[in-house]
Amino acid sequence: MSDKHPPFFVGYLPIPQGLKQWLLLVSALLVAGMAGFGLVMGIAQDDPGPGAFRFDYGRQTVTGVVELTPYPLVRVTEGNERIAPGTTLMLSGQGKSNVDARAIPLEGQLAQVSGIVLQRGTLNMLQLRGGRNGMSAVEGAAPAQSSKPLGRWKLAGEICDGKCLAGAMRPGTGLAHKACANLCLIGGVPPVFVSSKPVDGSEFLLVTGPDGTELPKSLYDQVGEYITIEGEVERRGDLLVFSVDPTTVGEPE
Amino acid sequence: MSVKYTPVQWNNNKWIYDAIMLAGVGLFLYIFLYAAPGILSHERPINPQVHNARAFGACAFVMMTVILCIGPLARLDERFLPLLYNRRHFGVMTVFVAITHASYIVDWYFAFSMSNKYEALLFANTSYGQLKGFPFEAFGIFALAVLIILAATSHDFWMKFLSPPVWKRIHYLIYPAYLAVVAHVSLGILQDQQNHAFTWLFAGGALTVGVLHLLAALKERARDQALSVAGADWIDVAGVDEFEDGFAKVRLLPDGDRVAVYLMDGKLSAISNACAHQNGPLGEGRVIDCLVTCPWHGFQYDVRSGRSPAPFTEMVPTYNLRLQGQTVQVDPKANPPGTPVDPIAIPQGAVT
Ligand code: HEM
Ligand code: FES
């Protein structure tokens, strides 16, 4: 075999001597390269945020007044050591489902709710147990609940579903998570606005459409995206409600 | 070469090849999944389902990138040919990794609702009219479908069944699939990330694939220009003294086909340059045990008849040669595959 021809590899024959070292080198580089990519890609992952299902608290049961925004809330009047009176709980069913069927008949009334807490910063959600165990009317008059209008705001941030954000998923925000968030919203899980700047101390606001309607379907196209939008902000206990005007969607500067 | 189709015709080199590739994949996943989280100082960890999905998705991307680099690398430097030899096994591994990625996603982001999770994958996000928030999953679905089709038809049985040109055309779908993965990631996770290390690696990988293909194409074009010859009747191949025993001279014929003219035992014969297996370049092979051996997967042919030795049945076209003084000439009209042609003896003393 003359020098100007490199060793010739035939798959089913033994590897020619002259190629062995080269192939050893290439194989080592390949394996090391895969390992290196695994490491760098693995440590390039962003922090998914502190939201969590608080299974460590165990099942929580509290009493409060049911309100519809139209997304149902419970304004806690009788709490426990984890959930203080004055807390406002957003509600969800198991998975990507809502509790409207149970909450709507109890609007304005006192009810006992029971389930697992999801928590992220100032945001509290309760995933109710099934049936009457999760939500049932309580005898007695419902104490009046105050709500305080905070005026019209233009906010920059992202609409996402309140459950994944609050801790059902980490990460539970962003465009990679958009389809998942939409699926939650289709299921009636309350949407939340993550504001780039806190409003009255809170960076999370429950979102509704104008005048006590659900989030308009037209805004599903903007879920997960960084946008600006205008609307009325109202404080209900420790929760802010942002009723947005869908015609004001814009791009942040 | 095959008279009957067994699922895999194993040999030592294939075992070694698969072991090396599996070691790379295993290490990638192990480090991404188990070593990296310890280095990340997150208050609460990423959900395991998402973390797993990301590890397998990223791994599938790296695997596709490696696969697509092997082709041009082997064209630029033939010492990379051994990587090409068993590449389809690596491709099949990639499909399993990609399916795992998609399953974690579907069982997490698209589960837990009242709808079927596969239907949810299709209707949850319908923002097709915009770039930001585009349902990038669609690109993933396309890429995965292509990968599955390619893996399912990767066996030689399918190549025979579909015929090599059709098979090859189907397998070119790997390029749209790779572009789809680039779109999948660019419109998805890259829109979200604060840490841009992944973005750089991703762009670097995709760019490498592009640049290597460009370089290989340029090299091939330059070589084609050197190989091409004019004339309609008999075409000059080379001077008799330019041949080397056991090796070929390749010429590009006016109709676009290539002919490989081999010198064996002092006699010249010409066959098509395109291997009947996967169009491998027979002229870049050499004679082993009196048989022309393809550099890609080692199919062999008798250079005087274009036929694989019994019991194999592959055949390539042959060409007629003649000597015009000291110049070897080829008739550009190919003979039907497997047509025996008497070799041309070259004058004594002309062989180097
Ligand atoms: C049915 C098919 C597929 C679906 C539904 C799908 C879905 C997804 C989703 C939702 C993400 C974002 C995950 C996150 O939140 O971080 C993602 C990321 C990704 N996907 Fe896919 N995908 C599919 C197929 C593929 C295929 C075939 C490949 C490559 C061969 C691929 C490669 C990737 C990569 C590299 C990422 C980024 C991973 C990272 O963040 O490190 N995907 N995919
Ligand atoms: S192309 Fe596979 S052996 Fe020739």
Side-chain angles (χ1 to χ4, degrees):
Chain A
M1 205 176 283
S2 68
D3 282 348
K4 70 180 208 232
H5 296 286
F8 188 61
F9 172 84
V10 183
Y12 46 83
L13 300 179
I15 298 171
Q17 273 308 324
L19 265 184
K20 273 195 176 146
Q21 252 188 345
W22 159 258
L23 286 179
L24 219 58
L25 178 75
V26 171
S27 307
L29 279 179
L30 193 107
V31 174
M34 292 282 290
F37 268 70
L39 180 69
V40 179
M41 288 180 164
I43 62 175
Q45 303 293 314
D46 288 328
D47 193 326
F53 258 117
R54 301 314 302 253
F55 293 111
D56 51 331
Y57 290 177
R59 182 183 296 144
Q60 300 292 307
T61 304
V62 295
T63 301
V65 179
V66 177
E67 287 183 353
L68 298 179
T69 59
Y71 302 100
L73 304 174
V74 166
R75 307 279 297 267
V76 177
T77 52
E78 237 174 275
N80 58 24
E81 67 265 33
R82 300 276 192 205
I83 303 173
T87 306
T88 303
L89 295 172
M90 300 188 302
L91 302 179
S92 92
Q94 305 283 331
K96 297 169 182 275
S97 73
N98 63 66
V99 296
D100 291 357
R102 283 182 276 168
I104 290 170
L106 296 178
E107 184 182 7
Q109 298 176 37
L110 212 49
Q112 188 183 64
V113 288
S114 175
I116 298 292
V117 173
L118 294 107
Q119 216 169 32
R120 177 163 180 170
T122 56
L123 199 67
N124 293 291
M125 176 179 266
L126 194 68
Q127 173 178 296
L128 298 188
R129 300 171 66 191
R132 286 183 47 81
N133 289 334
M135 188 174 214
S136 53
V138 169
E139 288 296 310
Q145 298 296 313
S146 66
S147 65
K148 185 173 145 210
L150 298 180
R152 191 174 175 90
W153 289 72
K154 177 179 179 180
L155 299 179
E158 166 187 347
I159 300 172
C160 54
D161 74 280
K163 189 169 188 184
C164 290
L165 173 79
M169 292 193 182
R170 275 192 311 272
T173 56
L175 282 173
H177 178 263
K178 171 173 178 155
C180 176
N182 279 10
L183 200 55
C184 273
L185 299 185
I186 292 168
V189 170
V192 164
F193 194 82
V194 183
S195 176
S196 58
K197 286 203 195 84
V199 179
D200 199 22
S202 180
E203 56 180 317
F204 305 118
L205 305 88
L206 174 68
V207 192
T208 71
D211 307 318
T213 54
E214 288 193 358
L215 184 78
K217 292 249 179 335
S218 65
L219 282 178
Y220 284 20
D221 284 337
Q222 266 69 49
V223 168
E225 201 181 312
Y226 188 53
I227 54 167
T228 59
I229 193 162
E230 293 174 32
E232 305 289 332
V233 177
E234 178 192 33
R235 175 169 285 293
R236 298 207 191 187
D238 67 348
L239 182 73
L240 296 180
V241 180
F242 185 27
S243 90
V244 297
D245 175 354
T247 62
T248 61
V249 177
E251 295 215 8
E253 285 93 56
Chain B
M1 297 183 292
S2 33
V3 268
K4 64 177 198 295
Y5 292 101
T6 51
V8 180
Q9 288 175 330
W10 286 105
N11 61 47
N12 243 353
N13 289 340
K14 287 193 181 179
W15 285 112
I16 296 170
Y17 189 105
D18 286 2
I20 291 168
M21 292 306 191
L22 271 176
V25 173
L27 263 178
F28 181 101
L29 291 172
Y30 178 82
I31 290 175
F32 194 120
L33 289 172
Y34 300 108
I39 299 170
L40 295 169
S41 52
H42 295 165
E43 183 179 337
R44 291 211 166 83
I46 296 167
N47 284 134
Q49 291 83 349
V50 177
H51 196 79
N52 292 347
R54 288 179 174 175
F56 280 85
C59 190
F61 169 74
V62 172
M63 291 170 82
M64 275 178 97
T65 304
V66 170
I67 286 175
L68 287 178
C69 285
I70 291 175
L73 276 177
R75 278 187 278 159
L76 290 167
D77 183 339
E78 57 192 78
R79 289 176 305 163
F80 285 105
L81 276 170
L83 296 182
L84 193 78
Y85 173 58
N86 204 23
R87 182 164 61 154
R88 70 175 78 179
H89 282 199
F90 198 40
V92 173
M93 277 182 229
T94 307
V95 179
F96 286 112
V97 173
I99 289 177
T100 309
H101 162 71
S103 309
Y104 276 119
I105 293 289
V106 171
D107 286 333
W108 186 246
Y109 285 159
F110 296 92
F112 314 117
S113 85
M114 308 288 280
S115 313
N116 173 289
K117 56 192 179 184
Y118 299 105
E119 288 170 21
L121 180 58
L122 302 178
F123 74 68
N125 179 3
T126 52
S127 308
Y128 286 98
Q130 60 199 57
L131 267 186
K132 264 201 154 71
F134 186 91
F136 63 91
E137 289 87 354
F139 290 112
I141 295 170
F142 171 76
L144 189 61
V146 169
L147 286 175
I148 290 172
I149 290 171
L150 298 197
T153 60
S154 69
H155 200 272
D156 274 0
F157 165 78
W158 283 100
M159 198 165 45
K160 267 251 163 120
F161 183 76
L162 297 166
S163 84
V166 173
W167 185 88
K168 199 144 189 163
R169 225 167 296 148
I170 293 176
H171 280 245
Y172 275 130
L173 278 175
I174 192 68
Y175 292 104
Y178 190 71
L179 286 179
V181 172
V182 169
H184 176 65
V185 176
S186 304
L187 293 177
I189 196 75
L190 294 195
Q191 301 287 326
D192 265 352
Q193 293 205 324
Q194 310 295 313
N195 183 330
H196 292 297
F198 181 83
T199 313
W200 287 115
L201 288 185
F202 179 77
L207 204 68
T208 307
V209 170
V211 168
L212 283 176
H213 275 84
L214 193 70
L215 289 177
L218 287 177
K219 178 175 169 182
E220 215 125 90
R221 204 172 69 171
R223 206 179 45 184
D224 275 357
Q225 272 162 2
L227 294 180
S228 68
V229 279
D233 258 356
W234 287 82
I235 284 169
D236 289 354
V237 178
V240 280
D241 52 350
E242 292 174 53
F243 285 86
E244 192 183 340
D245 209 89
F247 293 89
K249 292 256 165 248
V250 178
R251 283 289 169 263
L252 182 63
L253 300 173
D255 64 1
D257 287 342
R258 289 183 180 77
V259 59
V261 184
Y262 265 95
L263 178 65
M264 186 175 91
D265 296 338
K267 291 178 183 164
L268 291 162
S269 304
I271 55 174
S272 161
N273 189 53
C275 180
H277 180 218
Q278 286 183 24
N279 291 345
L282 290 177
E284 291 167 35
R286 56 192 67 176
V287 173
I288 295 177
D289 299 336
C290 299
L291 294 166
V292 167
T293 307
C294 179
W296 282 10
H297 313 94
F299 276 42
Q300 294 189 307
Y301 303 88
D302 184 331
V303 73
R304 294 163 301 192
S305 63
R307 290 167 186 257
S308 290
F312 304 109
T313 55
E314 275 74 15
M315 288 189 275
V316 293
T318 55
Y319 289 85
N320 297 328
L321 295 174
R322 72 176 185 195
L323 270 179
Q324 202 71 329
Q326 291 297 301
T327 306
V328 181
Q329 291 188 322
V330 64
D331 181 349
K333 288 187 293 296
N335 300 314
T339 309
V341 175
D342 282 336
I344 307 256
I346 59 175
Q348 287 296 310
V351 186
T352 49

